[in-house]
Amino acid sequence: MIPQFDENTALLLIDVQKGVNDTAYYGGPTGRRNNFDAEDNIIGLLNAWRKKGGKVAFTRHDSIEDGSPLKLSLESGEQLPGMEIHEGDIAVSKSANSGFIGTNLEQEFHRARIHRLVIVGYFTNICVETTTRMAGNMGYDTYLVHDACATMNMIGIDGTDYDPDLVHNMALASLHGEFCTAISTKDAHALMDADAPHLDRVQGNE
């Protein structure tokens, strides 16, 4: 059973910036992204969360890598439409993969009495995965909304071009049951209103 999301739960949006759609930069000449429903799923969840008065948090990536589209000084570093930061939200800038490295995110959650996290954003296997792993290790009751995340294809060390759906699904397989409980957008909406006795909390490593 998963208990209803309450005032101690924050919706954490990872790097919801325009540059996440730069397929050539992240995926090379064959660059492609998966889950084009992610934007709508994130926006729907964000709007419902705000309507309920829940705490919202953002990480924004400000890369130190040359050529990266995720720099706050660039237009591509701006928030995706419909995912703007509001007054009262927690917002941190980072240059590492984890939202907890080099930021005051943990302190902000402590001040807000947040101990449960619902995570969405980009990219599933990079900043979302790293932040989710750390959240689980740090003791947060952590939920990853799997269809409100997306990623790019990845080129392996032998040149193999791994499809973005495979990359996405393997990241989820590594996280679910160990660092977090993966749930759907539909489940996340339902958990804003009631307990989910039909769902199992499976976070391990505790």
Side-chain angles (χ1 to χ4, degrees), residues 87-105:
E87 184 177 356
D89 292 344
I90 295 169
V92 300
S93 299
K94 64 181 182 63
S95 57
N97 302 121
S98 172
F100 293 101
I101 298 295
T103 76
N104 66 341
L105 186 60

Side-chain angles (χ1 to χ4, degrees), residues 36-64:
F36 287 98
D37 291 328
E39 280 84 347
D40 286 343
N41 289 340
I42 293 170
I43 291 170
L45 191 55
L46 175 60
N47 290 341
W49 201 274
R50 291 197 189 283
K51 188 174 181 179
K52 286 283 186 179
K55 177 58 73 175
V56 176
F58 293 85
T59 71
R60 298 188 299 161
H61 200 75
D62 194 13
S63 180
I64 59 174

